[in-house]
Amino acid sequence: MHTNYYFLRQLAPALKPQLIGLKLMECFSQDRDELVLVFAHARGKVNFYRPFFIKATLRPDFSGLLFPETIQRARINSVDLFENLYDQPVIDVRSFLNERCLAITLEGGFTLLFKFFGNRPNLLIFSDDAVIDLFNNKLAADTQLVLSALDRPLNQSWEAYEQSGFDHRKLFPTFGKLVNAYLEEKGIKEKDESGKWALIQETVRQLEQPRFYLTTFQHKPALSLMLYGEPIRQEFTDPLEASNRFFASFMGQNTLEREKGEALRLLEKRLKRTKASIDANLQRLISLDESVKNEEVANILMANLHQIPESPGARSPEVVELEDFYRNKPIKIKLKTDLSPQKNAEHYYRKAKNEKIETGILQEQIENRELEVQQLQKQIELIQPVESLRELRKYLKKNPIKEEKAADGTAPLFKQVMHEGYVILIGRNSKNNDLLTQQYAYKDDLWLHARDVSGSHVVIKYKAGKTFPKTVIERAAELAAWYSKRRTDSLCPVIYTPKKFVRKPKGLAAGQVKVEKEEVILVVPKDEGLLKTA
């Protein structure tokens, strides 16, 4: 939680008296993903007068702020940054409502903004409301951020909680993994709605109190605003001290702890995902078993063809009510109006065939994933007692724990996967889908999307002179299915076509397009973690 909104909103007022009145003396980087800011009252011949240092780590896998008492600048491999801002006094330090950002405001309308968005942390330089410079220029989307639009007001009332379907994650997106894990441990899923709301309110009160705890979460040191996990040291009241102690603990992990913790984290993440998949498949099987079978509907239609009225052109009504001779009661059946009653029955027979295929796939998936659960649990049991780095690495060499690798090259605006040497790009949201399809996809790239539902645009980058292998199309289709509203379906139809047949006419909403000459492939939804990198 060291970059969480609730921590930053307490860090900002603690930094304010430390920085206001000081000037930005220099900013430099000695590492690709780190930079140092030096603030002081005055610049001496050799040193600065009463300096205050901020060291920012902005790696995709880890980011945060450290406030060391001293920093020795290297004589080589050190680069000066943002020199046009030197000697500008600090006039304010602030956080942003429901956002993981911290800003240091300088005279002259300049702002240094630390942005801690997931795996895309960065330092942005604003002049008034617009971005004029970046620390990590590869994060091109950061140039579109507007300073005055960063505050994110959220309706977090009981009424909004009701409207969200009692899903606290929609109302409190700033909670993060640690707080959500805390709520699960407190049994939020088992409580009634008023009990859930009371637990949420009590959690918010804890997050708003200036208390900080150094704990272990998911086998890594963590800075928490509540007593959760395995405590390393309890209770700091100064956020700067808490941040420094957290960094010391995180960086002080020995190699065995770090590699062992990462292996266990990946295994537990995969175990949780596999169990969730089993539950979803079981729910789908129950749903199929309890619902009226498509074959039964087709038989009812065929037995009552003479009772179904037809309009001119052998068209059917939208809904027909017939006698269900399986259950001895009336049943309402939806029909396709552009088909005859007999063709509608044939349509339900085809659906019945797919229903049987789906049932078989679901049962096979459950068996495979139950076996996977046993294997994952066995791996965790074998790794937990290991006390030798050599023994751990020997085991992991024989039993590698793979996590999907990101593709290289294209701007990291999208989820990226490599399969059999092909780059697959996945849109993150509706606006990001437009960016991917309209600006980063070329006419010969292959474009995919789950059929008839909202979801991510997926693009396979074209290789000159080569046709797209069927296996690559299948993998990309699995990803398109996973990143759509059909994620929990056992089978999902996915359309694909060269990007040149995808258009965005004027007036369509973000993410919406018109597709021509598409083909359809039927796949099982799978995410990156379930795919092996080629």
Side-chain angles (χ1 to χ4, degrees), residues 11-31:
L11 179 62
L15 274 174
K16 201 168 182 177
Q18 300 285 345
L19 288 175
I20 285 185
L22 303 187
K23 297 178 181 178
L24 176 63
M25 292 300 178
E26 63 178 356
C27 178
F28 60 89
S29 176
Q30 302 177 137
D31 188 283

Side-chain angles (χ1 to χ4, degrees), residues 39-52:
F39 299 88
H41 287 281
R43 191 190 309 272
K45 291 183 178 180
V46 178
N47 298 312
F48 300 108
Y49 177 62
R50 296 177 65 182
F52 185 88

Side-chain angles (χ1 to χ4, degrees), residues 8 12 23 169 296 409:
L8 295 177
K23 297 178 181 178
R169 293 172 187 262
E296 294 174 352

Side-chain angles (χ1 to χ4, degrees), residues 392-490:
L392 177 67
R393 288 178 173 174
K394 183 179 179 180
Y395 175 83
L396 293 176
K397 187 175 181 180
K398 289 183 179 179
N399 306 275
I401 304 169
K402 294 181 180 178
E403 190 168 41
E404 193 67 23
K405 296 179 181 177
D408 295 325
T410 311
L413 298 171
F414 320 106
K415 295 180 187 291
Q416 304 175 43
V417 174
M418 283 292 290
H419 187 71
E420 295 182 15
Y422 282 81
V423 177
I424 302 173
L425 304 178
I426 307 161
R428 297 178 181 274
N429 51 50
S430 55
K431 290 183 179 179
N432 195 245
N433 282 339
D434 279 344
L435 189 67
L436 171 58
T437 299
Q438 302 304 314
Q439 296 186 34
Y440 284 84
Y442 299 96
K443 65 176 185 177
D444 293 322
D445 293 341
L446 198 66
W447 186 91
L448 304 91
H449 195 283
R451 190 175 192 177
D452 298 330
V453 293
S454 60
S456 293
H457 295 191
V458 176
V459 168
I460 309 173
K461 299 304 288 182
Y462 174 69
K463 286 189 173 184
K466 295 185 178 181
T467 57
F468 294 101
K470 184 180 178 182
T471 51
V472 175
I473 296 174
E474 287 175 350
R475 287 307 194 201
E478 289 169 346
L479 290 164
W482 179 265
Y483 290 103
S484 77
K485 293 291 186 182
R486 293 186 183 270
R487 172 181 291 197
T488 56
D489 290 2
S490 51

